[in-house]
Amino acid sequence: MKNSVLLWSFGMLCLLLCVSCESGKEKDPVEERVSRLLSQMTLEEKLGQMEQITGGGYADYIVNQIKGGGIGSILNEVNPEVINRLQKTAVEESRLGIPILFGRDVIHGFKTIFPVPLGQAASWNPQLVEAGARVSAVEASSAGIRWTFAPMLDIGRDQRWGRIVEGFGEDPLLTSALGCAMVKGLQGERLNDPSSVAACVKHFAGYGAAEGGRDYNTAVISEEQLRNVYLPPFKAAIDAGAATLMVSFNEINGIPNSGNRYLLQDILRKEWQFNGVIVSDWNSIGEMVSHGYAESLADAAEKALLAGVDMDMENHVYRQHLTSPVKSGKVKEAVIDEAVRRILRLKIQLGLFENPYTPTEQPVFYTKESLDKAKKVAVESAVLLKNENNLLPLNNTIKSIAVIGPMADAPHDQLGTWVFDGEKAHTVTPLATLREEYGSTLKINYAPGLNFSRDKDKKQFAQAIAAAKASDVVLFFAGEEAILSGEAHSRADISLPGAQKELLTEVAQTGKPVVLIVIAGRTTEIYEQLPLVNAYLFSFHPGTMGGPALVDLIFGKAVPSGKLPVTYPKMVGQSPIYYNHKNTGRPPAGKIETIDEIPLEAGQVSLGNTSHYLDAGKDPLFPFGYGLSYTTFQYDDLKLSAQEIGKNEQLLASCTVTNTGTVEGAEIVQLYIRDWAGSVTRPVKELKAFDKISLKPGESATVSFILTADDLKFWNNKNQQLLETGDFTLWIGPNSAEGLEGRFRTKN
Ligand code: BGC
């Protein structure tokens, strides 16, 4: 009797708890609506919501599928009239009237194209990245797109990897800051604003660690590297409200990410409490068969579902293969319900049920404000890497310029990768800008020498050389076509393609001062050509307004302020190369023995030698965070508020930065630390904070950063985040290789 009373009480308690948690849920009108819909859905309709297909106009096969409730999302349909017709079919002719979510890759602009993300990263300016993403969202949503697959938050440490261009570079903190900014810009104040576009952080996770920089390739990542390097940007963007996430194509540590329960369930859902939609990458579920992880497409579908992938991008395996395991009881329908719940919730949050249609009056493309913003981002994204005798900015002693090279007038290619909707007719190239702005005051001798970046035909070389000889200065626009970076476009040779190196060499031999402007999707190998040129301005594909931005920089109407978001290698063979590497037991220090110094028939020797290359040494060409200006900045007076920092304490670090030159300029002030010893080895430097400040000539500013104990924690290989006691060095400086230095300790 006693027992049964106890049981009863326990049962009642559970019931009461359930009722109260249910009623807690029911109180949320969104959840209530989701539950109501879900309760009316057939299994087929549920699987339909989990299906994303590629658009193909108002075609019968799509329309019929929509009528049967068989499509949750369509990607790559961008005609607003077609979108509205398809939507009307979904809303008025499908049984439950659930609207479709239209998606598109809006990676760095819809119509107005901003610099490629790696270029935006060189601005180190979250406000600008956010403003750019806002423009993209306004433009894309005006065409009916409410979901995009950006930002890409994959850390890239290897310039061979074509997709390095789509992310924010090699550093977890910079990537986190800019990723959050992009999410905010895309999603706006609230998701149900008609101009908001749901962001999708991708590709989860470790996609940038592909072996040898070969796209889609295998990654082997230790737990501490995963958590210290690759995951933080995703965590930050999810905390900032990113609505959705895409899994990556590749496998890490033997498990393809589309079926990776550890990543998707344990980390994303449980640890991080991510409740947004997880979408596969294009066909990535089925590719688990090629990976050798699933026996069949049916097996792949089950594995992806159980791992936590809610929506199947273009693979159709959920619709085709999940009915029978659910009917046989092998897969619980509750798992499907959870996935559908997340998809419906997103549609409700986006306001699609209330406002399913997009207004079809003239959409808001290429407005003056958007173009101005695109130009500003392009200005701040360019990085000045060499400027002998202050050749730049060009002054008014210059009366004639030679404009040479395949990227001077390449309206398609300066837009960069992943441009589906931006039109080259709207691109303003450097040549067009020069003619427009300086055509009446300067003699412009245009002779490209090569028609496109891979062009090997030297028949126009003579004209280019003649143009150089006839001019006071050469502006040589080199680089890579848009198609040479991006998805599936990795390169083993990252130097200037085609005959550009030869053309540059011959032009330089004229003895005329040469300004080299490289427009590319990765930091191109330039080590051997750099001594030939007097100035070097680097621009990751700068987008629609690249021309006006670069010309303003060349003539000093704008002052360069960009800094490298990646380490710039001397030679491709140094890849992967990144500033926050480990020290090794034999770190290179002091004099490095070079290949030419080794005596003939030298005996085998390793003692005294260190971890470096005989032919490339230890250093990159330019360090992470590096970039010059037309002015100079001096760093003084480093102050730390304490010499020790405890568990719940903070440390204030500050210094004075002075503009010691003659023009106003912006400086990106960077704070790095080094933890000298840990229970897991720590990187030689880690960026912990940065700020971009603008100073007039002679002006000084105190730049202060607060470091918390949390900033000093790291993950070990047992999933523990630790704050260990020990010595740290802290630097505040202009890049990852220079800075004022202080020391502090962590204490218990
Ligand atoms: C890419 C994704 C992209 C998707 C949709 C895939 O090939 O990896 O980044 O969002 O296609 O276009």
Side-chain angles (χ1 to χ4, degrees):
M1 185 64 199
K2 211 173 166 198
N3 271 353
S4 62
V5 170
L6 266 180
L7 279 176
W8 181 86
S9 321
F10 182 66
M12 277 304 281
L13 186 65
C14 289
L15 196 69
L16 285 175
L17 281 176
C18 278
V19 168
S20 66
C21 71
E22 268 306 302
S23 62
K25 243 187 207 168
E26 298 303 339
K27 270 192 208 130
D28 181 337
V30 174
E31 294 309 317
E32 201 176 302
R33 196 164 176 183
V34 170
S35 301
R36 238 190 353 253
L37 265 173
L38 203 54
S39 68
Q40 299 169 57
M41 291 171 84
T42 62
L43 177 60
E44 206 187 330
E45 285 165 336
K46 290 176 188 170
L47 293 176
Q49 285 305 307
M50 296 163 77
E51 165 94 344
Q52 183 181 54
I53 69 156
T54 299
Y58 196 75
D60 284 351
Y61 73 95
I62 297 181
V63 172
N64 291 336
Q65 200 173 325
I66 292 176
K67 286 183 184 164
I71 297 178
S73 171
I74 296 182
L75 82 158
N76 296 337
E77 181 56 74
V78 284
N79 178 336
E81 267 140 36
V82 175
I83 287 181
N84 280 345
R85 278 184 79 193
L86 294 168
Q87 193 69 295
K88 197 164 174 351
T89 307
V91 170
E92 294 180 6
E93 295 181 57
S94 73
R95 196 175 70 90
L96 295 171
I98 300 172
I100 287 170
L101 176 53
F102 290 89
R104 177 70 150 176
D105 288 288
V106 183
I107 306 302
H108 52 110
F110 185 67
K111 291 285 182 181
T112 304
I113 302 300
F114 286 75
V116 287
L118 193 55
Q120 297 189 35
S123 76
W124 295 56
N125 189 334
Q127 286 81 15
L128 271 192
V129 172
E130 182 179 337
R134 194 83 283 277
V135 169
S136 307
V138 168
E139 288 191 347
S141 61
S142 79
I145 302 301
R146 299 297 307 282
W147 188 16
T148 192
F149 309 107
M152 184 186 101
L153 301 178
D154 298 308
I155 296 296
R157 294 170 153 185
D158 192 327
Q159 303 296 318
R160 292 172 296 181
W161 186 48
R163 300 198 86 167
I164 197 164
V165 65
E166 286 178 56
F168 297 118
E170 73 188 37
D171 183 71
L173 182 88
L174 184 60
T175 302
S176 302
L178 302 181
C180 292
M182 193 173 267
V183 167
K184 271 169 82 184
L186 290 170
Q187 297 193 168
E189 292 288 306
R190 50 193 173 83
L191 271 183
N192 67 356
D193 186 296
S195 76
S196 289
V197 170
C200 181
V201 291
K202 68 185 190 186
H203 307 83
F204 196 69
Y207 184 40
E211 267 180 12
R214 288 183 291 275
D215 204 7
Y216 313 124
N217 224 284
T218 304
V220 178
I221 308 178
S222 69
E223 190 67 28
E224 69 94 357
Q225 284 288 292
L226 188 66
R227 288 182 177 266
N228 289 319
V229 178
Y230 294 95
L231 295 188
F234 287 95
K235 173 78 168 68
I238 284 168
D239 289 346
T244 74
L245 173 141
M246 185 188 291
V247 295
S248 61
F249 287 118
N250 64 308
E251 66 159 74
I252 62 171
N253 305 335
I255 315 284
N257 287 345
S258 296
N260 198 321
R261 286 195 202 199
Y262 175 58
L263 281 183
L264 306 185
Q265 290 296 336
D266 298 348
I267 297 184
L268 260 181
R269 296 290 189 215
K270 293 195 190 116
E271 268 183 52
W272 298 359
Q273 299 283 301
F274 177 62
N275 212 13
V277 172
I278 299 181
V279 63
S280 75
D281 203 342
W282 184 289
N283 259 355
S284 70
I285 300 179
E287 287 174 15
M288 289 198 285
V289 176
S290 309
H291 275 288
Y293 186 68
E295 286 176 356
S296 60
L297 290 178
D299 186 27
E302 275 180 42
K303 287 199 156 98
L305 175 79
L306 295 175
V309 177
D310 302 318
M311 190 177 272
D312 170 0
M313 180 187 277
E314 192 47 33
N315 222 171
H316 318 300
V317 291
Y318 277 5
R319 275 194 85 216
Q320 279 164 20
H321 296 288
L322 288 180
T323 309
S324 49
V326 171
K327 294 228 156 115
S328 72
K330 190 173 170 217
V331 167
K332 291 202 184 82
E333 191 161 346
V335 184
I336 307 258
D337 287 354
E338 275 314 299
V340 178
R341 187 175 275 282
R342 284 188 278 265
I343 294 164
L344 294 175
R345 186 186 295 130
L346 176 63
K347 292 184 177 185
I348 294 171
Q349 285 165 342
L350 282 164
L352 286 179
F353 284 85
E354 281 69 37
N355 293 307
Y357 305 112
T358 185
T360 41
E361 66 267 16
Q362 195 41 45
V364 277
F365 300 152
Y366 303 115
T367 64
K368 166 137 186 3
E369 296 79 60
S370 306
L371 294 172
D372 286 349
K373 282 184 188 144
K375 178 177 168 188
K376 189 162 170 44
V377 183
V379 164
E380 293 203 23
S381 297
V383 190
L384 181 65
L385 293 170
K386 178 175 180 179
N387 196 14
E388 229 170 51
N389 303 323
N390 295 328
L391 174 60
L392 287 178
L394 298 184
N395 60 34
N396 49 20
T397 62
I398 304 286
K399 301 290 176 229
S400 56
I401 53 174
V403 179
I404 297 175
M407 296 301 285
D409 195 30
H412 170 84
D413 288 313
Q414 80 177 45
L415 294 179
T417 186
W418 281 112
V419 172
F420 292 137
D421 303 289
E423 294 117 324
K424 71 173 182 176
H426 287 264
T427 304
V428 191
T429 67
L431 179 69
T433 314
L434 286 165
R435 285 186 168 148
E436 160 90 20
E437 294 183 16
Y438 295 92
S440 57
T441 50
L442 285 180
K443 176 112 184 52
I444 297 170
N445 297 311
Y446 175 56
L450 293 164
N451 291 331
F452 52 94
S453 75
R454 284 168 294 162
D455 191 357
K456 296 193 181 87
D457 188 342
K458 299 186 181 173
K459 69 172 178 295
Q460 298 177 65
F461 272 30
Q463 283 158 278
I465 288 155
K469 284 185 178 155
S471 308
D472 295 334
V473 66
V474 175
L475 299 182
F476 194 107
F477 291 90
E480 281 179 326
E481 292 149 71
I483 195 60
L484 298 187
S485 58
E487 185 178 350
H489 289 83
S490 295
R491 294 181 62 203
D493 171 1
I494 59 168
S495 68
L496 292 172
Q500 294 184 84
K501 286 173 282 199
E502 290 91 323
L503 179 62
L504 181 59
T505 308
E506 291 190 29
V507 166
Q509 278 162 1
T510 62
K512 294 293 170 136
V514 178
V515 178
L516 173 64
I517 302 106
V518 167
I519 296 177
R522 55 169 68 75
T523 52
T524 11
E525 185 176 317
I526 208 74
Y527 184 51
E528 290 192 353
Q529 291 75 45
L530 198 60
L532 306 174
V533 305
N534 307 80
Y536 182 26
L537 182 62
F538 188 87
S539 169
F540 296 101
H541 291 122
T544 305
M545 295 300 283
L550 290 170
V551 170
D552 272 9
L553 289 164
I554 290 166
F555 285 90
K557 281 193 196 158
V559 176
S561 64
K563 301 226 183 191
L564 291 170
V566 281
T567 301
Y568 199 129
K570 280 181 201 155
M571 300 175 196
V572 67
Q574 290 176 300
S575 309
I577 184 166
Y578 46 96
Y579 83 94
N580 48 358
H581 58 83
K582 300 290 184 74
N583 202 36
T584 81
R586 293 192 181 185
K591 181 165 171 353
I592 301 277
E593 184 178 57
T594 67
I595 194 161
D596 298 322
E597 291 164 332
I598 303 173
L600 287 179
E601 299 195 359
Q604 164 60 30
V605 59
S606 57
L607 276 183
N609 286 357
T610 58
S611 179
H612 67 269
Y613 292 106
L614 291 176
D615 43 10
K618 69 179 175 62
D619 294 320
L621 186 58
F622 300 109
F624 172 83
Y626 182 79
L628 300 168
S629 169
Y630 294 154
T631 188
T632 44
F633 297 98
Q634 190 176 310
Y635 285 68
D636 295 295
D637 209 14
L638 176 71
K639 288 201 183 98
L640 301 189
S641 62
Q643 262 142 33
E644 286 193 326
I645 172 170
K647 242 198 246 129
N648 297 313
E649 292 176 359
Q650 296 184 335
L651 184 75
L652 184 77
S654 65
C655 78
T656 309
V657 181
T658 306
N659 181 341
T660 49
T662 53
V663 292
E664 182 171 354
E667 170 70 339
I668 298 160
V669 182
Q670 301 160 43
L671 184 151
Y672 296 87
I673 59 152
R674 175 166 183 180
D675 179 353
W676 283 91
S679 55
V680 166
T681 56
R682 311 297 307 124
V684 295
K685 268 190 183 176
E686 284 176 279
L687 181 73
K688 287 293 168 185
F690 63 90
D691 196 6
K692 190 165 189 175
I693 54 163
S694 189
L695 293 174
K696 297 203 163 55
E699 195 184 356
S700 295
T702 303
V703 182
S704 309
F705 299 103
I706 292 173
L707 273 188
T708 67
D710 275 353
D711 295 324
L712 307 173
K713 287 182 176 165
F714 63 91
W715 292 88
N716 66 12
N717 281 311
K718 294 180 193 145
N719 286 355
Q720 295 161 320
Q721 203 184 13
L722 306 171
L723 175 69
E724 292 181 341
T725 54
D727 289 325
F728 284 74
T729 297
L730 174 150
W731 295 264
I732 301 185
N735 60 63
S736 62
E738 295 170 77
L740 303 173
E741 192 175 314
R743 286 182 85 98
F744 67 93
R745 269 185 74 77
T746 42
K747 61 177 183 191
N748 275 324

